[in-house]
Amino acid sequence: RMVIPAALKVLRLRPERRFCKLGDLSNAFGWKHQALVGRLESQRKVKSEAFYKKKSAATKARQEALKSVKVSTEDQKILEAAGFA
């Protein structure tokens, strides 16, 4: 997920314009699944947070491993020749 500034409501709408969420508008006209969508969205947020924590821990562990790795002189020469050192 990413933030696209050109799509932000606060940047696109003029201050005096009225707005609403599609789910609220649909619920006002008889849509019966707003509670279900809310429940599923809360479950998605919990799973997303767990995934992010696991991913950030793995990234941190990888960075620590990269700091502690020792490269032999032969491999270092090959990396320098390839432009990676």
Side-chain angles (χ1 to χ4, degrees):
R1 294 179 182 250
M2 61 174 53
V3 175
I4 301 171
L8 289 175
K9 175 180 70 176
V10 294
L11 298 178
R12 299 296 297 175
L13 290 178
R14 296 195 337 229
E16 69 273 6
R17 293 292 187 185
R18 298 179 67 188
F19 63 90
C20 70
K21 293 182 181 177
L22 181 61
D24 296 337
L25 183 65
S26 300
N27 192 41
F29 286 94
W31 188 56
K32 297 174 180 66
H33 304 289
Q34 188 173 23
L36 171 65
V37 172
R39 184 170 51 86
L40 292 175
E41 182 67 11
S42 64
Q43 289 176 359
R44 182 198 64 80
K45 286 182 180 182
V46 169
K47 290 179 183 178
S48 176
E49 184 180 356
F51 172 79
Y52 177 74
K53 286 181 180 179
K54 183 178 176 182
K55 180 182 174 183
S56 61
T59 303
K60 189 175 181 180
R62 185 176 189 277
Q63 292 296 328
E64 293 297 322
L66 285 175
K67 287 180 184 177
S68 66
V69 75
K70 302 294 182 203
V71 180
S72 68
T73 56
E74 286 181 16
D75 292 338
Q76 187 65 30
K77 288 179 184 177
I78 293 171
L79 288 172
E80 287 175 359
F84 289 108

